Amino acid sequence: MSNPTRGRLVVGRRELASLSREKTIVLALVIQLFVAGFSSFLVVGLTSLYSPASVSAGGVEVAVVGDAGEGFVEAAEATDGLRPRRYDDRATATEAFEAGVVDALVEARTQEGRVDVTVTAPESGLQKTLVVVRVRSALEALERAERVDRANWLDAEAVPLPPPVDASPYLGFTYTVLIPMLLLLPAFIVGSVAVDGITEEVERGTLELLRVTPLSLAAIVEGKALALAALGPAQALLWIGLLSLNGIPVANVVLLGVFVAALSVATVALGVGTTLVVADRQRAQLLYSFAVLGLLTAATAFPEGPTSTAALLAIDSPGPLTDAAVLGYVLIAVALALSVRWYVGRVDPERL
């Protein structure tokens, strides 16, 4: 093993060892470990925030008025957690709503051959969320029933409606929120750690000691960056293992590892580049955070964003663009790493 390569490995091991003394980083890792290790328990409580209709927090009672109210009443009676109460006129129903006797007011009337529904719900709070979610389910059932009843009026055959699916909200939350979060957070954190690691070396003056060694500034930065970039996929694979132990299988583990590795390399390169431009820790962290959030926001405009890629791979249902997306992230990571490597070679060490 050549001396420069050995020196990079020494710097990398030193960087990883120093992380154990960073309380903020250790706390972030412990929180992620707790979420992954106890995911089967936490997912039930978290799902209640992600999808309030998935938990039975008491029924929602709604006042129903209007000549088309019977159709909504039938749909509401078939909706879990929704109890309709028929009223003869809107004034009486409004009084009941304002007095707190009912949680919402639904007015369904027929206008020009169409059913027009107006819903009055509480202004704010968890009760409003519960009302909106459950009334929406009833409205979807009403729409389905109306489509079936009016199919004979059409001159052409209507597109058949898909059958209703009784899917578990826990499954949707786990694969669309929990797993992408556990896979993307390590990549974001290692980039932030890269910012802290280099700025700390500058502030404490230890970077000057490292430069006394035969290693160049580029070799020192590479050693730190490679160690942190490897930490991202290592965390992600650990979280996947803990999820599997909790009965949550994750497919395409190797491809997910490549995906997280590419994101980790990209964020570390971004963190290193930010630090070389702004050596102050607070300003560098702020600039790095804005840059990452901006890139993630821009990525949502793509046909398949990072969270979608992670979810589709984890559930073993990759789309036509999933493999191309992973390859794109790899190419972006390589381009960023080479660009920062080129820039590091041209930075004057005395400026840091």
Side-chain angles (χ1 to χ4, degrees):
M1 184 180 298
S2 63
N3 287 334
T5 302
R6 184 172 180 273
R8 290 180 177 88
L9 293 178
V10 171
V11 172
R13 287 197 298 268
R14 176 179 173 274
E15 182 69 16
L16 292 177
S18 67
L19 292 180
S20 61
R21 298 189 294 272
E22 292 288 341
K23 295 181 180 180
T24 304
I25 302 302
V26 172
L27 179 60
L29 295 177
V30 169
I31 292 174
Q32 294 177 74
L33 180 63
F34 179 79
V35 172
F38 296 90
S39 53
S40 60
F41 299 99
L42 293 176
V43 72
V44 177
L46 293 174
T47 304
S48 65
L49 300 177
Y50 167 75
S51 176
S54 64
V55 294
S56 55
V60 173
E61 191 162 354
V62 296
V64 182
V65 297
D67 59 286
E70 292 302 326
F72 181 84
V73 169
E74 293 179 3
E77 289 176 344
T79 302
D80 293 336
L82 194 61
R83 298 194 302 269
R85 180 185 294 186
R86 198 75 164 89
Y87 283 82
D88 295 331
D89 57 88
R90 180 179 175 84
T92 307
T94 302
E95 291 179 2
F97 173 69
E98 294 176 349
V101 177
V102 295
D103 301 306
L105 169 61
V106 175
E107 184 177 5
R109 299 190 183 278
T110 303
Q111 295 183 1
E112 299 180 356
R114 304 176 61 180
V115 178
D116 184 74
V117 180
T118 303
V119 180
T120 305
E123 291 185 0
S124 61
L126 178 60
Q127 187 67 14
K128 176 184 178 180
T129 304
L130 294 173
V131 168
V132 170
V133 169
R134 288 183 170 137
V135 171
R136 182 182 61 190
S137 299
L139 291 175
E140 290 173 352
L142 175 61
E143 180 185 13
R144 183 179 295 272
E146 289 293 326
R147 285 176 179 269
V148 173
D149 292 341
R150 303 186 184 203
N152 295 329
W153 297 4
L154 301 176
D155 297 330
E157 183 178 355
V159 176
L161 293 173
V165 178
D166 188 17
S168 170
Y170 305 121
L171 180 68
F173 174 81
T174 299
Y175 287 97
T176 61
V177 177
L178 181 61
I179 291 179
M181 178 188 72
L182 289 173
L183 294 180
L184 296 180
L185 272 180
F188 176 80
I189 289 177
V190 294
S192 178
V193 174
V195 174
D196 271 353
I198 296 179
T199 53
E200 183 179 13
E201 298 280 10
V202 175
E203 291 173 356
R204 293 183 178 181
T206 52
L207 186 62
E208 293 292 332
L209 296 177
L210 289 174
R211 286 171 49 204
V212 173
T213 67
L215 294 175
S216 64
L217 176 63
I220 295 172
V221 172
E222 285 178 3
K224 289 175 169 291
L226 289 174
L228 293 174
L231 186 61
Q235 290 182 66
L237 293 176
L238 175 60
W239 304 162
I240 290 174
L242 291 173
L243 289 170
S244 300
L245 291 177
N246 277 268
I248 301 175
V250 178
N252 299 302
V253 176
V254 175
L255 202 54
L256 282 173
V258 173
F259 168 69
V260 177
L263 293 182
S264 299
V265 170
T267 56
V268 169
L270 189 61
V272 171
T274 301
T275 306
L276 294 177
V277 175
V278 182
D280 179 72
R281 176 184 294 193
Q282 292 183 348
R283 290 194 299 162
Q285 283 287 8
L286 182 62
L287 182 60
Y288 166 77
S289 299
F290 278 128
V292 171
L293 291 176
L295 291 175
L296 286 177
T297 302
T300 58
F302 295 160
E304 185 174 306
T307 55
S308 299
T309 299
L312 290 172
L313 288 175
I315 205 171
D316 198 19
S317 182
L321 299 177
T322 302
D323 291 340
V326 175
L327 178 60
Y329 294 129
V330 172
L331 294 177
I332 291 173
V334 172
L336 281 174
L338 292 178
S339 300
V340 173
R341 174 65 179 82
W342 173 85
Y343 182 71
V344 171
R346 283 153 179 75
V347 170
D348 182 7
E350 299 295 335
R351 187 174 63 83
L352 297 177

